[in-house]
Amino acid sequence: MVSRREAISGIGAALLGVAAVARSVLAQVPDAPSRDSPAFQPPLMPPNGPPYNPVVTLNGWTLPWRMKDGWKEFHLVAEPVIRELAPGMKANLWGYNGQSPGPTIECVEGDRLRIFVTNKLPEHTTVHWHGVIVPNGMDGVGGLTQPQIPVGKTFVYEFEARHSGTFMYHPHADELVQMAMGMMGFFVVHPRDPTQHRVDRDFVFITNAYDIDPGAKTPRINTMTDFNLWSWNSRVFPGIDHLAVRRGDRARIRIGNLTMTNHPLHLHGYNFRVTCADGGWVPPGAQWPETTVDVPVGAMRAVEFEATAPGDCAFHCHKSHHAMNAMGHDVPTMIGVDHRGVGRRIVSLIPDYMIMGERGMADMGEMEMPLPDNTLPMMTGFGPFGPLEMGGMFTVLKVRDGLARDDYRDPGWYAQPPGTAVREWTG
Amino acid sequence: MKTRVFAQRLVAIAILAWAPAAAFAHQGLQSVAALVAPDVPTELRWVRNAKDAQEVRGAVAKALAANSLTVHDAIKVAHLNNPGLQAAYNELAIDKRPFEQDLYLAAQLVVRLAAETAKAYIRAVAAGQIADFVVQARAAADAEADLARRMAEIGNWSALDYMRRQLAYAEVTALLARAELAVGAAREHLARQMGVAAGAFSLARTLPPVPERPARADGLDTRTFAERFDLQALRYEVETQRGVLGLSRVTGIVDLMQAGSLRAPNADEASMMFQENTVPVFDWSESTDPLAEYTYMNAVHRLADAVVAARSQIRAAYGAYRTAFDLSHHQRGEILALRKRMGEESLLRNNGMLNSVFDLLGERREEIAAVIATIEADRDFFLAETALRYTPAVDVAGIVLSVDQTEAAPHSHGPSGH
């Protein structure tokens, strides 16, 4: 079955992938590389096959493949994983090849794909290629188009990537549980002509949501709507990668939604155009301008903009609870409640108690108080001007002059030119 | 466990074997004090004149003046000052019983008073300790209700939410009234044992710590016969009957440790009268009394019955002690410890605004309830320990401070009275 698993990292990913392929060239099943970290990975330049402009997966990576007899062969391993949602919190999830979400699969229009799927979960699974038009028997719907992949077995999906576009993959077997546990991945089919739909920076992520009780590690799989961790690629603020873009670049952000609610994702500083949905590219004349793209449940959107203005631009879901980490939804509003006399009595009963919330909840963003194990603050993070008071689906687009073409490293905080920032009115 | 020997008792009685008819009035208290010394090292006073009374008042006042009365001092005051005990001394002085019987009766009264006083003391301290924590629980509920009212006043909460908290406060207030009543009742009970007013003494705020290791049960119930005053009295009755009936030729041996079973005497026992765990039966034709057999065997079986009961009581007392010991440690080491950790976790959640101050105060009230249950478990341990301490000497279960009651104890309690 799986002969060996490679941990790959950094720029060497492609080379390592090549080396792994070379060593297992005679094996029937290609190696299944694995990652044990959510750290940023640079785009994987295609080592073989038709050229394309690779994407960048936030806190993720692209799955290396091997070419065999004209087929691109990938190997996904469905398995339990431990995913760091942000520094300070790890979750027991299910995913692929060591992480949740699984690695991004990138290929080119017209590629013939052979995707091996090995099931190391405790129950059967399938993989559905969400939005990709495939032969019916390759659609991955357990019971309908295929028998589920039993525990310990490897199945092979074979199909041609007929249309370029923005897609996902996820199980269609015990789907509720397996998606609630984090099983999903991005799937990009690049145009055959690399100059078509060309952008300089192409970011991808999937929105997902978990319900993990503070102090616990495993999602409550039966939660339907009251999730407490709203994540991008199974990461929450301040754990989500920044989007570093060189000034003047054309940038694309592709989003898939596998939560149980829509996400109006709002980008500050730019108006963008919606250029792609799961059904394909939007003709230029039909692209519409927005600053908030509402991504429906089970849908994909890609937005594009010219990064003309430098700055630190907030990028977040506009459902404000989704830009927070786990919070107490049953906590009553304490704003304006006069605590005089009562606070002292409470402290005499509970010595370490601290009055919070009587002016609002901003205290929370500034204070670092001991929390239950493996629990992130409800609102957290610091910027150059103080606490950011955010969590969940929040990160920053950082547009800067002079970044190298493949430099995605965090350029630090933006220095606003004098006279361009808000100031206190002093008369 | 205390160690006492049969011989010690016999010495105390032997000294007084020559005493005249009204011996109790002259020598009784010294002898009783010697008898009970292994169980209750105490001072006994028979108050017969103003000087005695003044001395007793002085001793009592000195003991009660302490910042917190010790259980030892409470027993001392009870022995000096309990009017019922003084009445019993006078009653024993005028009754027609043999002197030895009077001694055993008086010893039982003294030990029982000690046991009852110790129990009353434990209950009174525990009641006060519990009430202190109900006060804390009420403070928590009060803070909740107060905050809830303020929240309702500014529109953050509905009247219904506020009333829920106010109801909790009202219920804890009722609990506190009951807890305070229990404190008063427990202090009154202790005061009655000591013959003083309930306001005349101060008690410790807390029970002492329960020991880390339990006392051992080894051989506890085999020491019964030597150490129980009620058995001594019944045994004396058997011996007296033998003398009165003029019996001397041993024909059998009744083994008191085998539920009074009768067997033939062996060679050594043929001439022996009474041993620690056996009594002889005789050739009834020796006696001129035609009812000699029934009179004597009645006394023997009453003794055997009492031995069975006493051994059972001691085993039961140890069982109760051991369970109370385990429960006390379980309550503190498991239940209370978990409650405290839950409180800590709840506070961590509160730090993260994941729960509210109302959750926190509710959790605190639950923890206080666990503290109260722990105090109750400790109290039950010390009560069981007291019962175990005195059961080898007297029938603690049937504590009644009356000479008449004790005389008929084995019968009046019935076959399953313990």
Side-chain angles (χ1 to χ4, degrees):
Chain A
M1 308 296 289
V2 182
S3 57
R4 188 166 54 82
R5 305 261 300 281
E6 283 278 348
I8 61 170
S9 63
I11 290 292
L15 293 174
L16 271 173
V18 171
V21 170
R23 276 194 295 274
S24 60
V25 72
L26 297 177
Q28 280 199 313
V29 178
D31 280 350
S34 179
R35 281 197 57 77
D36 60 1
S37 145
F40 174 83
Q41 295 302 309
L44 175 60
M45 300 307 292
N48 52 40
Y52 64 83
N53 300 304
V55 299
V56 167
T57 306
L58 295 189
N59 302 99
W61 59 303
T62 289
L63 186 61
W65 65 89
R66 75 175 179 191
M67 292 297 296
K68 190 177 182 192
D69 306 329
W71 291 76
K72 270 188 182 166
E73 292 188 340
F74 296 87
H75 190 174
L76 288 173
V77 177
E79 61 188 352
V81 303
I82 293 172
R83 173 72 166 180
E84 186 195 68
L85 298 186
M89 180 171 188
K90 289 180 175 171
N92 297 327
L93 301 181
W94 288 356
Y96 300 93
N97 301 51
Q99 293 291 306
S100 159
T104 297
I105 292 176
E106 288 184 77
C107 60
V108 178
E109 212 174 2
D111 278 352
R112 287 186 297 166
L113 308 179
R114 180 178 291 134
I115 304 174
F116 296 82
V117 178
T118 297
N119 182 6
K120 290 190 174 179
L121 296 172
E123 66 170 0
H124 67 212
T125 189
T126 65
V127 180
H128 165 61
W129 315 98
H130 182 116
V132 185
I133 305 304
V134 298
N136 189 249
M138 296 294 167
D139 199 38
V141 181
L144 180 65
T145 65
Q146 68 163 92
Q148 288 87 350
I149 307 169
V151 174
K153 298 290 186 189
T154 299
F155 278 30
V156 186
Y157 292 89
E158 289 177 334
F159 53 86
E160 182 188 339
R162 289 164 55 198
H163 310 284
S164 76
T166 302
F167 311 105
M168 303 184 281
Y169 64 88
H170 63 77
H172 227 296
D174 195 13
E175 189 175 338
L176 158 76
V177 167
Q178 296 190 7
M179 304 232 313
M181 290 295 284
M183 298 196 70
M184 54 197 70
F186 221 93
F187 193 115
V188 175
V189 181
H190 293 283
R192 196 75 188 179
D193 174 2
T195 64
Q196 201 182 8
H197 308 299
R198 187 184 181 289
V199 293
D200 301 296
R201 303 203 180 209
D202 198 345
F203 300 93
V204 306
F205 65 87
I206 297 176
T207 61
N208 41 14
Y210 300 101
D211 183 18
I212 302 177
D213 198 40
K217 290 182 173 175
T218 309
R220 288 200 284 220
I221 54 179
N222 291 318
T223 295
M224 182 170 174
T225 55
D226 200 13
F227 295 89
N228 60 11
L229 289 158
W230 299 93
S231 47
W232 291 353
N233 280 355
S234 301
R235 293 284 282 182
V236 295
F237 179 79
I240 301 176
D241 282 334
H242 289 165
L243 281 67
V245 173
R246 181 173 58 175
R247 186 182 190 183
D249 276 355
R250 183 169 180 83
R252 178 188 292 135
I253 305 170
R254 311 191 201 211
I255 307 129
N257 180 2
L258 287 179
T259 71
M260 293 208 230
T261 188
N262 63 313
H263 296 287
L265 301 187
H266 177 55
L267 177 63
H268 295 215
Y270 288 93
N271 40 48
F272 50 65
R273 284 177 181 268
V274 179
T275 58
C276 190
D278 13 353
W281 298 99
V282 181
Q287 294 172 1
W288 68 102
E290 283 194 313
T291 64
T292 299
V293 58
D294 191 16
V295 188
V297 178
M300 324 279 311
R301 293 289 182 270
V303 300
E304 292 176 29
F305 57 94
E306 302 290 339
T308 52
D312 286 341
C313 304
F315 178 37
H316 59 93
C317 180
H318 217 286
K319 290 185 173 176
S320 47
H321 273 230
H322 293 185
M324 299 281 265
N325 291 327
M327 51 191 299
H329 292 144
D330 296 327
V331 173
T333 303
M334 304 302 287
I335 295 172
V337 178
D338 181 2
H339 276 67
R340 274 175 300 182
V342 184
R344 204 175 51 249
R345 275 146 62 200
I346 297 172
V347 171
S348 77
L349 292 162
I350 305 163
D352 292 331
Y353 172 70
M354 235 180 117
I355 296 170
M356 286 183 292
E358 85 278 22
R359 296 188 304 269
M361 286 166 123
D363 291 345
M364 185 71 207
E366 296 172 28
M367 285 187 299
E368 291 196 6
M369 306 270 284
L371 298 177
D373 281 350
N374 200 46
T375 298
L376 298 168
M378 172 178 73
M379 46 165 91
T380 182
F382 282 84
F385 299 103
L388 268 164
E389 307 171 340
M390 285 285 155
M393 295 175 164
F394 180 94
T395 190
V396 180
L397 167 73
K398 295 186 166 184
V399 179
R400 295 289 188 279
D401 284 306
L403 298 183
R405 190 185 183 291
D406 286 323
D407 187 0
Y408 289 84
R409 288 172 303 174
D410 181 356
W413 301 113
Y414 180 60
Q416 296 152 345
T420 66
V422 66
R423 64 187 187 279
E424 182 183 356
W425 175 250
T426 52
Chain B
M1 290 271 95
K2 60 187 177 288
T3 58
R4 294 180 299 136
V5 290
F6 181 54
Q8 217 174 340
R9 292 250 159 89
L10 294 181
V11 170
I13 295 165
I15 292 167
L16 292 144
W18 49 268
F24 191 84
H26 297 107
Q27 304 286 344
L29 286 207
Q30 293 166 28
S31 306
V32 170
L35 267 181
V36 303
D39 301 299
V40 194
T42 190
E43 187 186 344
L44 299 178
R45 287 294 296 268
W46 189 339
V47 179
R48 299 167 84 162
N49 55 47
K51 182 172 164 290
D52 290 341
Q54 191 182 3
E55 284 171 14
V56 163
R57 274 199 300 277
V60 167
K62 193 178 165 204
L64 297 184
N67 278 339
S68 65
L69 185 68
T70 65
V71 66
H72 177 78
D73 280 350
I75 292 170
K76 183 178 156 190
V77 170
H79 281 153
L80 289 175
N81 206 44
N82 183 293
L85 193 59
Q86 296 293 323
Y89 295 156
N90 289 288
E91 195 174 337
L92 289 166
I94 59 175
D95 70 7
K96 303 292 186 219
R97 292 188 189 86
F99 176 66
E100 288 80 356
Q101 294 280 42
D102 282 345
L103 289 186
Y104 291 131
L105 285 174
Q108 289 183 65
L109 294 181
V110 166
V111 176
R112 285 177 176 187
L113 181 59
E116 183 70 349
T117 304
K119 286 182 168 187
Y121 178 91
I122 292 160
R123 288 200 172 97
V125 172
Q129 200 178 349
I130 287 168
D132 286 347
F133 279 95
V134 179
V135 167
Q136 281 196 33
R138 189 179 65 155
D142 184 24
E144 284 178 56
D146 214 354
L147 264 187
R149 179 179 52 74
R150 296 179 192 193
M151 288 178 70
E153 278 170 4
I154 63 170
N156 290 19
W157 251 2
S158 68
L160 181 61
D161 286 328
Y162 158 63
M163 283 185 280
R164 282 200 187 99
R165 305 295 166 173
Q166 186 63 29
L167 180 66
Y169 171 70
E171 285 170 350
V172 179
T173 301
L175 267 183
L176 181 57
R178 291 198 186 93
E180 283 170 349
L181 175 64
V183 172
R187 284 185 70 95
E188 286 292 357
H189 188 71
L190 175 59
R192 284 200 292 281
Q193 307 308 314
M194 298 193 293
V196 302
F201 53 89
S202 302
L203 290 174
R205 302 296 287 185
T206 60
L207 292 170
V210 170
E212 283 303 309
R213 296 185 180 286
R216 292 165 60 110
D218 305 350
L220 209 55
D221 69 334
T222 59
R223 299 212 307 268
T224 311
F225 182 69
E227 299 177 0
R228 284 273 288 233
F229 297 121
D230 50 351
L231 304 188
Q232 299 287 329
L234 288 165
R235 182 194 178 89
Y236 185 84
E237 175 71 19
V238 175
E239 290 185 40
T240 304
Q241 290 295 341
R242 185 201 67 80
V244 169
L245 296 169
L247 301 169
S248 63
R249 229 178 2 258
V250 176
T251 60
I253 297 292
V254 169
D255 189 340
L256 295 170
M257 301 308 270
Q258 299 294 328
S261 71
L262 178 64
R263 61 173 166 78
N266 58 39
D268 292 341
E269 291 168 325
S271 60
M272 229 176 252
M273 281 289 137
F274 292 83
Q275 296 179 65
E276 188 169 340
N277 293 327
T278 62
V279 292
V281 296
F282 300 95
D283 178 357
W284 312 118
S285 64
E286 273 186 297
S287 177
T288 54
D289 186 340
L291 300 178
E293 178 186 355
Y294 316 117
T295 307
Y296 183 81
M297 289 311 288
N298 178 29
V300 168
H301 286 307
R302 279 174 60 185
L303 173 59
D305 183 36
V307 169
V308 167
R311 294 181 69 191
S312 169
Q313 283 166 13
I314 290 172
R315 287 190 301 269
Y318 186 79
Y321 164 87
R322 188 53 221 250
T323 299
F325 175 88
D326 291 341
L327 281 175
S328 163
H329 281 275
H330 179 72
Q331 180 67 37
R332 176 172 283 96
E334 295 288 329
I335 296 174
L336 183 58
L338 279 170
R339 273 282 171 216
K340 281 183 190 298
R341 285 179 53 201
M342 286 169 72
E344 289 161 14
E345 283 295 320
S346 195
L347 186 62
L348 291 177
R349 285 187 174 229
N350 191 258
N351 286 346
M353 289 189 180
L354 298 163
N355 66 10
S356 76
V357 67
F358 296 97
D359 298 319
L360 216 50
L361 288 166
E363 198 83 53
R364 177 67 186 142
R365 283 198 282 132
E366 296 287 338
E367 189 183 321
I368 290 169
V371 170
I372 289 172
T374 305
I375 297 166
E376 287 169 343
D378 289 358
R379 175 199 64 198
D380 292 347
F381 166 78
F382 286 112
L383 290 175
E385 187 199 43
T386 301
L388 183 63
R389 183 188 304 276
Y390 295 113
T391 299
V394 297
D395 176 2
V396 173
I399 289 178
V400 179
L401 197 63
S402 158
V403 175
D404 290 339
Q405 289 280 335
T406 48
E407 186 188 13
H411 276 270
S412 62
H413 287 178
S416 61
H418 306 292

